[in-house]
Amino acid sequence: HLPTLSDADAPVIVLYVHNRPEYFQQVLAHLRLVEGIEQSLLIVSMDGLFSEMLALAKTIDFCRVRVLVHTARQMLHMESIVAIKQHWWWLVQQVFTVVPETKRRAGMVLFLEEDHILAPDALLVLSALSSHVQSGGCSSCWGVGLRFGCARPEPSDDTGVCMAEGFVNTGYAFNRSFFQTLDAHADDFWALGKLELRYTYLLHGVSLALEKA
């Protein structure tokens, strides 16, 4: 059944996309196969009005979907790296303060890009990792990630849970509490220098803010 999303356990997936329809099509094809996807809300945030991308979004019939469009890059002709950061900040604000289905959500929100393909058990893993963090299993963790197995010098069991010391923009999730921390330290976030505008540094400012808290 389709979720009302008043249920804190209903998954929310946010998909940031630009204009690569061949990638977007593959991501959607794999999302369709994810266990529990029919219970989810998929928020697709587009980096402009692109006809092929909009047409693909209209084919989504495996879960609830809401499409957002951020047009600043097209309208203001922003430099690519700056536009990414602007879109990301705007998107996070939309998810936690504007979108009706999520503006009061307390639980985890999963963020993906148009070239991030989920495994069929991704939502099950997300639920398990989220429960682990929220139950106190990692008191210093600000979120969870669905990246491939833990990096260790020796081969090991990749079914375990590990704490990552860095940030990778592959399938990360955080909750309202972390968003509020992010929002409260917006100056730190925007103070990042030009060399730190790359997507893998988008949350670096918040890590610094948490160290100050």
Side-chain angles (χ1 to χ4, degrees), residues 158-207:
D158 285 336
T159 63
V161 175
C162 65
M163 184 174 70
E165 296 180 354
F167 168 71
V168 179
N169 67 318
T170 308
Y172 60 92
F174 57 82
N175 60 19
R176 177 168 297 277
S177 176
F178 180 75
F179 162 73
Q180 291 170 337
T181 300
L182 172 67
D183 198 45
H185 293 279
D187 290 344
D188 293 308
F189 181 83
W190 289 108
L192 290 173
K194 185 176 179 62
L195 293 178
E196 296 170 309
L197 287 175
R198 292 173 297 166
Y199 197 85
T200 51
Y201 284 90
L202 285 177
L203 298 183
H204 177 62
V206 181
S207 299

Side-chain angles (χ1 to χ4, degrees), residues 61-91:
D61 60 1
F62 48 81
C63 67
R64 290 185 63 177
V65 63
R66 179 175 286 274
V67 176
L68 308 177
V69 180
H70 184 259
T71 58
R73 186 190 300 209
Q74 286 183 318
M75 295 175 63
L76 303 178
H77 305 289
M78 288 182 176
E79 182 180 355
S80 177
I81 292 176
V82 176
I84 289 173
K85 188 172 183 180
Q86 290 274 1
H87 185 172
W88 188 89
W89 182 264
W90 174 86
L91 173 57

Side-chain angles (χ1 to χ4, degrees), residues 12 41 43 94-96 99-105 176:
V12 175
L41 170 68
I43 299 174
Q94 292 290 310
V95 169
F96 284 101
V99 174
E101 297 91 341
T102 58
K103 66 181 181 180
R104 294 181 179 85
R105 179 179 177 84
R176 177 168 297 277

